[in-house]
Amino acid sequence: SDYFSIQSTFVSTSEDVAKVMSGAQSAAKSSSLPKSLPTAFSDMYKRVTSASDDADPTPVAEAILACNDAYSRASRTSRAKIASWKHRISRNLLVPKFGARSSALLTRTLDLFDRDTMAAAGLPLAGEQRLAIRKKLQDRTEGILKSLFDDQMAILEKNTLKRFQLTLLRKMGKDIDASQFYESNAEALRVAAFAFESTASTLEVPSMSLTKSKAVQDMEGKLNNALITFPDSPAAKIKSLAKVEQTVSKKKEPTEGSINVALDLVAMIRPDGFGNLQGFAGYQLGPHSVTVGVHNDADDPGVISQFGGVRPAFLRVQPKLKIEVEL
């Protein structure tokens, strides 16, 4: 029960009865609950006896107790489903069709409570208590669902960035040219952003104001930043080094020595805005190349947090000098 701690004991003699009663008295005295803590019964009794009218308080008391009991039943009904969702999310997996299923769960939980407490709605004092208990049930359920929504958005963001970086590694050519690299991976960026938005749509719960808009905007900024910084990332450098070692290890015919020098300039312009405009442009002249990117995300809170709470620089230029020496 939600109000008592009940145990069943077999008794056959008066000594057994005395032993059971003594144990019950000891348990009551050693209860960890403070004596001043109101129980559901004492709280209900105070509310009923404080009513100003002289009406029979029995129906009101029964209705309030029924509301508390309905709250417990409705909570238990949703608890099993929520527990299975939590277990799945703990393994970094998303709940299929979470938005529709969580909305249906909330509706079903509240409908069950309303059905079991319909009689209390017509009683003045009990009706007010019923609304308060229903609000408590709704807030509790919505709070749990919101936490699950945030956890899944974090998992989806992490998985999207990981898959995008793996895509960039697979498409990484033998010789990385800055302008060609950004142009060839622009489509991969759009595909990753679209996949994130499509999956996030299944997690939305509009009735609880749990939407994907902010997460999608933050994800676009993080994907752009991942693309810009990828050539300097540890994974890209390790793969480049592996390719160099593989090339050096191959036996080559003796050739005349030569020195080749190439300059790559990568510039990123980040004007004011919230990330609704982006693009890249590149120009190559022989071994030299120039790449310019524009992304108006200087006011985006997600971008500002990545730079330690300060706005990113309006113009960022990364020069790269490549020297090839053949002996």
Side-chain angles (χ1 to χ4, degrees):
S1 173
D2 295 315
Y3 305 124
F4 304 100
S5 175
I6 301 176
Q7 295 181 354
S8 298
T9 304
F10 177 77
V11 294
S12 58
T13 63
S14 59
E15 289 79 6
D16 292 339
V17 174
K19 183 178 179 181
V20 170
M21 294 302 296
S22 177
Q25 291 176 357
S26 300
K29 292 179 181 179
S30 61
S31 175
S32 59
L33 295 176
K35 296 182 179 180
S36 60
L37 180 65
T39 63
F41 292 102
S42 63
D43 184 57
M44 177 273 300
Y45 177 77
K46 292 177 181 178
R47 290 177 178 273
V48 172
T49 55
S50 63
S52 59
D53 54 13
D54 297 329
D56 184 7
T58 303
V60 177
E62 291 177 348
I64 295 178
L65 288 177
C67 291
N68 284 281
D69 192 45
Y71 172 88
S72 299
R73 282 198 303 273
S75 297
R76 286 195 300 268
T77 301
S78 62
R79 194 177 302 155
K81 180 63 67 176
I82 290 175
S84 65
W85 291 350
K86 285 183 176 180
H87 178 66
R88 183 176 179 84
I89 294 172
S90 68
R91 294 183 288 129
N92 290 327
L93 299 175
L94 302 181
V95 178
K97 299 180 181 179
F98 173 78
R101 295 172 69 181
S102 59
S103 180
L105 176 65
L106 177 62
T107 301
R108 185 168 61 250
T109 301
L110 295 179
D111 287 347
L112 176 63
F113 178 84
D114 291 340
R115 185 195 65 189
D116 293 343
T117 60
M118 190 64 65
L123 301 175
L125 185 60
E128 297 175 2
Q129 185 69 4
R130 172 184 176 273
L131 293 178
I133 297 175
R134 187 184 191 277
K135 182 68 166 55
K136 178 182 176 182
L137 175 64
Q138 181 177 357
D139 291 345
R140 174 185 176 277
T141 307
E142 289 182 352
I144 296 175
L145 295 177
K146 183 181 184 303
S147 177
L148 297 180
F149 173 82
D150 293 338
D151 292 343
Q152 290 181 96
M153 278 297 182
I155 294 172
L156 179 59
E157 178 182 301
K158 179 181 177 181
N159 292 342
T160 301
L161 287 173
K162 184 177 180 180
R163 284 195 296 266
F164 181 61
Q165 290 173 349
L166 290 176
T167 301
L168 296 180
L169 276 176
R170 286 196 300 267
K171 297 182 67 176
M172 187 175 171
K174 182 178 180 180
D175 296 320
I176 298 181
D177 179 80
S179 61
Q180 292 180 356
F181 176 78
Y182 292 125
E183 291 174 2
S184 63
N185 289 290
E187 178 64 23
L189 187 148
R190 289 191 292 271
V191 170
F194 178 76
F196 177 86
E197 184 174 0
S198 300
T199 306
S201 298
T202 65
L203 303 178
E204 285 188 307
V205 189
S207 61
M208 291 187 288
S209 300
L210 301 179
T211 60
K212 64 180 181 181
S213 56
K214 187 178 184 304
V216 170
Q217 185 177 352
D218 292 344
M219 190 74 258
E220 290 177 352
K222 291 180 180 180
L223 288 173
N224 274 290
N225 188 65
L227 177 60
I228 294 171
T229 59
F230 178 78
D232 296 326
S233 65
K237 291 181 178 179
I238 291 174
K239 187 169 184 178
S240 297
L241 181 60
K243 287 182 176 293
V244 171
E245 292 177 350
Q246 183 180 2
T247 303
V248 172
S249 63
K250 293 181 180 179
K251 294 182 178 180
K252 298 189 298 181
E253 296 294 332
T255 58
E256 296 182 0
S258 63
I259 299 177
N260 298 320
V261 180
L263 178 64
D264 289 343
L265 289 178
V266 179
M268 190 64 190
I269 302 174
R270 307 182 96 154
D272 297 342
F274 293 92
N276 58 346
L277 175 64
Q278 58 180 321
F280 294 94
Y283 179 76
Q284 185 172 2
L285 179 60
H288 312 290
S289 67
V290 177
T291 303
V292 180
V294 179
H295 192 199
N296 65 333
D297 60 350
D299 297 319
D300 190 344
V303 174
I304 293 176
S305 64
Q306 294 176 16
F307 286 87
V310 298
R311 290 162 54 92
F314 176 77
L315 176 62
R316 178 187 177 189
V317 180
Q318 291 179 295
K320 290 185 180 180
L321 182 64
K322 296 190 296 185
I323 302 178
E324 292 185 3
V325 180
E326 294 185 4
L327 301 177

